[in-house]
Amino acid sequence: MSRIKIYGSAISGNCLKVKWTADLLGIAYDWIETDILKGETRTDEFLALSPAGQIPIVVLEDGRVLEQSCAIMLYLAEQVGSDLISSDPFEKAKMIGWLFWEQNFHESSIAVRRFRKRFAGLSDGDIDPTLLTRGNASLQLMEAHLEKHSFFGGDQLGLPDIALVAYTRMAGEGGYILDDYPNVGRWISRVENALGIPPYGEENV
Amino acid sequence: MSRIKIYGSAISGNCLKVKWTADLLGIAYDWIETDILKGETRTDEFLALSPAGQIPIVVLEDGRVLEQSCAIMLYLAEQVGSDLISSDPFEKAKMIGWLFWEQNFHESSIAVRRFRKRFAGLSDGDIDPTLLTRGNASLQLMEAHLEKHSFFGGDQLGLPDIALVAYTRMAGEGGYILDDYPNVGRWISRVENALGIPPYGEENV
């Protein structure tokens, strides 16, 4: 497909998902670093592209805009005809189910708590306690799944792995204890290896 | 497609989405009322079907299970070849983007605040204040979109409308003032009419 623009931030798991998917699929892109902490998603220029004021967004060669990390991942994989999207409708629906679970349950707890601790500078007592409970429930579900499976997308790396690894590997910054989830820890390494990215904390995007 | 089982609750917008989609598509189903307040998604029997312990789930005729409301909606529409899923990849990606926005931003604020007020019995002071802020930001984005469009799925009812209306029409129970969003109010009526369901509060599922 034609070269795209990705508006994203290197500190945002949602944005890295799109970057990693484009890299894996061999899609050429320009990365436009966009700093949410400096309000760069709230400028008139950005809101004209995307009224929701969130990153990542992708701008296609003809100027049309796509929003929402997981919707963009699905679009990119479909555009290049990747086998990351199964031709079996049930398998595809299971895979998309993981993406929705990630955005609804996992990201909304782990990523949010990480943001409030690391970037908003809130102390634990000022953070909604359900974020810790739900984030740990997310990690427990992943730990149990990985007892029987190597990946979330099946027997090999899939879109759910890319989506889920983004904030899971940063979960320590949210106050979650990844050492309590050894299967998850090994899976993070498998996904990082498959994506060709260094362990979290050692990379420069 | 063959008859399916929907495990759901009449008080859950996520479950009603799947019911309305099946009704709209003419898909036959058995509705298995499942009471989360009584712990019916935490029984060994339910967890054997779905380890995440959430409703809705759909059980296909052959016993295979699908999870996550929006993934199920996409699957059902695809199975019957509905034009609710555009054949244009960009239009489809925009539509799926709304579904992810609903689950990540809208449901995670409006539905969560409604649950905590109505079912968990929490008072406003005990509820994370960002839920009110983000829920109102969701309603503002919808209000602005509906200034220029009749629906979220395009010029006619689409899957994003079904997904978004579920908790939007219940938002009053979460402490949101729907009268402040007149375009949203009119859109709710349009969607209810298109789905053939009575206004919220008058229905018996």
Side-chain angles (χ1 to χ4, degrees):
Chain A
M1 62 181 291
S2 302
R3 192 174 190 87
I4 60 175
K5 289 180 188 166
I6 303 174
Y7 287 72
S9 162
I11 64 167
S12 158
N14 282 329
C15 298
L16 292 173
K17 286 178 202 172
V18 172
K19 173 181 163 44
W20 295 331
T21 303
D23 286 337
L24 187 67
L25 296 171
I27 293 169
Y29 59 87
D30 296 312
W31 177 270
I32 296 154
E33 184 71 20
T34 306
D35 191 336
I36 55 170
L37 303 175
K38 291 182 181 162
E40 291 179 358
T41 57
R42 297 289 160 177
T43 63
D44 289 346
E45 185 185 357
F46 189 89
L47 292 173
L49 290 172
S50 175
Q54 294 181 303
I55 46 174
I57 62 170
V58 154
V59 181
L60 304 180
E61 201 178 37
D62 63 9
R64 292 185 299 175
V65 178
L66 288 173
E67 296 154 306
Q68 293 292 319
S69 57
C70 292
I72 295 169
M73 292 166 72
L74 288 167
Y75 174 80
L76 296 181
E78 200 166 59
Q79 282 297 101
V80 301
S82 165
D83 61 8
L84 290 172
I85 297 182
S86 172
S87 58
D88 177 78
F90 178 82
E91 291 302 324
K92 185 169 83 171
K94 292 292 279 188
M95 182 271 282
I96 293 175
W98 278 116
L99 299 183
F100 277 106
W101 181 78
E102 188 267 333
Q103 283 290 286
N104 182 251
F105 200 83
H106 179 284
E107 196 264 10
S108 70
S109 49
I110 293 176
V112 170
R113 195 168 201 277
R114 174 221 179 211
F115 188 88
R116 293 190 188 171
K117 276 183 78 79
R118 176 167 170 188
F119 299 106
L122 297 183
S123 56
D124 285 1
D126 292 327
I127 299 176
D128 177 357
T130 67
L131 295 179
L132 192 60
T133 314
R134 291 175 61 235
N136 276 313
S138 298
L139 293 168
Q140 281 157 14
L141 186 75
M142 293 172 70
E143 182 74 6
H145 177 89
L146 293 166
E147 192 69 36
K148 296 179 185 171
H149 306 276
S150 297
F151 292 100
F152 291 89
D155 293 333
Q156 52 191 8
L157 181 84
L159 295 180
D161 299 291
I162 300 174
L164 284 165
V165 86
Y167 287 107
T168 303
R169 66 207 282 268
M170 301 172 174
E173 295 175 359
Y176 305 95
I177 314 296
L178 280 175
D179 285 347
D180 291 346
Y181 306 97
N183 293 332
V184 171
R186 286 186 287 270
W187 163 81
I188 290 173
S189 296
R190 281 198 296 280
V191 177
E192 287 170 340
N193 282 334
L195 292 174
I197 56 176
Y200 186 60
E202 297 177 16
E203 66 186 344
N204 293 298
V205 176
Chain B
M1 62 181 291
S2 302
R3 192 173 189 88
I4 61 174
K5 289 180 188 166
I6 304 173
Y7 287 73
S9 162
I11 63 166
S12 158
N14 282 329
C15 298
L16 292 172
K17 288 177 201 173
V18 172
K19 175 182 162 44
W20 295 331
T21 303
D23 287 338
L24 186 68
L25 296 170
I27 293 170
Y29 59 85
D30 295 312
W31 177 270
I32 297 155
E33 184 71 18
T34 306
D35 191 336
I36 54 169
L37 303 176
K38 290 181 182 163
E40 291 179 358
T41 57
R42 297 289 161 177
T43 64
D44 289 345
E45 187 185 357
F46 189 89
L47 293 173
L49 289 173
S50 175
Q54 294 181 302
I55 46 175
I57 62 169
V58 155
V59 181
L60 303 180
E61 201 177 37
D62 62 9
R64 292 186 298 175
V65 178
L66 288 174
E67 297 155 304
Q68 292 292 319
S69 56
C70 292
I72 295 170
M73 293 167 72
L74 288 167
Y75 174 81
L76 296 181
E78 199 166 60
Q79 282 297 100
V80 302
S82 165
D83 61 8
L84 290 171
I85 297 182
S86 173
S87 58
D88 178 79
F90 178 82
E91 291 303 325
K92 186 169 83 169
K94 291 293 278 187
M95 182 270 283
I96 292 176
W98 278 116
L99 298 183
F100 278 107
W101 181 77
E102 188 268 332
Q103 282 290 286
N104 181 251
F105 200 83
H106 179 285
E107 197 262 11
S108 70
S109 49
I110 293 177
V112 170
R113 195 168 200 277
R114 174 222 180 209
F115 187 88
R116 293 189 189 172
K117 276 182 78 79
R118 176 167 169 187
F119 298 106
L122 297 183
S123 57
D124 286 0
D126 292 327
I127 299 176
D128 177 358
T130 67
L131 295 179
L132 191 60
T133 313
R134 291 175 61 235
N136 276 312
S138 298
L139 293 168
Q140 281 157 14
L141 187 76
M142 294 172 70
E143 182 74 5
H145 177 90
L146 292 166
E147 191 69 37
K148 297 179 184 170
H149 306 276
S150 298
F151 292 99
F152 290 88
D155 294 334
Q156 53 191 8
L157 181 84
L159 295 180
D161 300 292
I162 300 175
L164 284 165
V165 85
Y167 287 107
T168 303
R169 67 207 283 268
M170 302 171 174
E173 296 176 356
Y176 304 95
I177 315 296
L178 280 175
D179 285 348
D180 291 346
Y181 306 97
N183 293 332
V184 171
R186 286 186 287 270
W187 163 80
I188 290 173
S189 296
R190 281 197 297 280
V191 177
E192 287 170 340
N193 283 335
L195 293 174
I197 56 175
Y200 187 59
E202 297 177 17
E203 66 187 344
N204 293 298
V205 175

